[in-house]
Amino acid sequence: LMIHKCLFPVAGYGTRFLPATKSSPKEMLPVVNKPLIEYAVQEAVDAGLTRIGFVTGRGKRAIEDHFDKNYELEDQIRGTGKEDLIQPTRDLIDACEFSYTRQKEMKGLGHAILTGETLIGDEPFAVVLADDLCIADGDGVLMQMVKLFRQFRCSIVAVEEVPDDHIHQYGVVAGEPLKDGVYRITDMIEKPSKDEAPSNLGIIGRYILTPDIFDQLRETPPGKNGELQITDALKKQAQEGCVLAYRFKGRRFDCGSIDGFVDATNHCYDKFYKNGF
Ligand code: G1P
């Protein structure tokens, strides 16, 4: 039971980042000099997931172009120092197989994942939300989760402690501790109020899902905001079997918000770029 595939839902509009996202995908916003989506794909490849699926939408073609050769550009920079800047991207393109499908209507994250079924089929897979940028020393967050999956073979969500005044922005879990940083989920609620929240552990944009999630999603009615919520489908999976919450090691930046994006930029500048590209 190996994981090969990673699904990237990228159809969302990124309205929190207007006007930057008016005609360019939010996933192409650069943290220093690298688009968010490239950090995310790199994290998947580092975890051994090289079959990359995008659930895309209108106005997102820049993502496809980013993960393809640009012959004119290659011609321009051949033999110059600039080649070093693009080498990591070339390596990703060579390492991966990319496939794309379109989400025709925005009906929530659960709907986006269900749209991706055609790219995934009947095997376990990861889901990464690129606007949650995760930076870890040692194993990346997905690699940490893949290792956990090898042990438990069930769906896993990454969680972190979220302050009270932000909890309404997250899927929130309740669970019984299994071992260090790992909980067996007993309840989960999408975007609860402070009072409804069953804990302060919010789900961040890293999931490993077993393929029965697709049947669960098909049977799940619209939830919070009238959207099909992956949180609701996972809750059923947790009740009927087992779903784990994992407190990952590393830092996560909410790059869908201005504050998180600026923090990520400063962090990555110091960590990766300060001493020269
Ligand atoms: C989605 C999920 C939510 C999760 C969050 C993580 O919400 O629905 O459960 O906590 O991603 O970023 P969104 O931020 O897309 O509204």
Side-chain angles (χ1 to χ4, degrees):
L1 221 70
M2 291 280 286
I3 307 188
H4 307 285
K5 294 185 179 175
C6 188
L7 194 65
F8 295 82
V10 295
Y13 294 125
T15 48
R16 283 192 291 171
F17 250 100
L18 283 168
T21 49
K22 183 165 174 277
S23 64
S24 1
K26 61 173 174 170
E27 296 80 9
M28 289 302 294
L29 289 172
V31 170
V32 192
N33 67 334
K34 199 196 285 188
L36 280 170
I37 192 68
E38 186 170 329
Y39 287 92
V41 170
Q42 183 73 58
E43 187 183 327
V45 170
D46 290 345
L49 315 184
T50 55
R51 307 233 174 123
I52 304 296
F54 291 98
V55 179
T56 181
R58 286 180 289 275
K60 298 284 182 163
R61 292 216 346 228
I63 296 174
E64 291 179 54
D65 290 337
H66 188 73
F67 292 107
D68 194 3
K69 285 221 170 81
N70 178 339
Y71 286 103
E72 267 175 42
L73 175 74
E74 295 283 340
D75 200 47
Q76 278 286 328
I77 66 174
R78 186 167 303 119
T80 75
K82 299 278 167 54
E83 281 193 290
D84 295 346
L85 290 176
I86 204 150
Q87 194 55 44
T89 317
R90 287 177 179 159
D91 292 343
L92 280 185
I93 294 171
D94 289 343
C96 296
E97 270 171 46
F98 298 96
S99 30
Y100 299 83
T101 190
R102 281 219 186 191
Q103 189 182 3
K104 284 167 257 174
E105 303 162 286
M106 301 304 144
K107 293 204 255 175
L109 179 56
H111 178 256
I113 292 172
L114 187 53
T115 303
E117 182 180 19
T118 179
L119 305 179
I120 300 296
D122 190 25
E123 56 183 281
F125 62 104
V127 174
V128 170
L129 308 183
D131 50 14
D132 278 337
L133 175 59
C134 292
I135 306 288
D137 293 322
D139 284 344
V141 174
L142 265 190
M143 183 77 246
Q144 296 169 35
M145 294 172 75
V146 165
K147 284 182 173 169
L148 200 61
F149 177 79
R150 285 189 198 134
Q151 202 182 341
F152 289 94
R153 294 167 180 242
C154 63
S155 292
I156 306 168
V157 300
V159 296
E160 72 175 4
E161 278 178 24
V162 172
D164 276 356
D165 53 332
H166 285 252
I167 203 84
H168 65 280
Q169 300 170 359
Y170 295 84
V172 181
V173 308
E176 297 157 356
L178 266 188
K179 62 174 201 176
D180 202 26
V182 181
Y183 305 80
R184 186 183 173 135
I185 290 178
T186 52
D187 194 13
M188 50 206 305
I189 308 180
E190 178 66 11
K191 301 194 172 81
S193 69
K194 223 185 285 184
D195 302 329
E196 293 166 324
S199 80
N200 64 350
L201 291 178
I203 301 169
I204 63 118
R206 299 289 181 281
Y207 304 78
I208 288 181
L209 302 173
T210 53
D212 53 309
I213 198 70
F214 295 123
D215 283 335
Q216 296 284 19
L217 280 167
R218 264 185 283 277
E219 286 163 21
T220 303
K224 192 83 184 183
N225 302 326
E227 296 177 335
L228 179 49
Q229 299 294 350
I230 188 65
T231 305
D232 296 339
L234 279 165
K235 180 176 173 172
K236 276 193 6 206
Q237 231 186 16
Q239 285 165 344
E240 290 166 17
C242 183
V243 176
L244 301 181
Y246 171 59
R247 278 179 67 161
F248 61 94
K249 298 189 182 70
R251 276 193 72 177
R252 166 260 182 182
F253 299 91
D254 173 14
C255 289
S257 77
I258 304 275
D259 288 340
F261 188 85
V262 171
D263 287 348
T265 301
N266 286 318
H267 183 83
C268 289
Y269 176 69
D270 286 342
K271 196 174 168 77
F272 303 123
Y273 300 106
K274 206 175 188 164
N275 303 315
F277 287 109

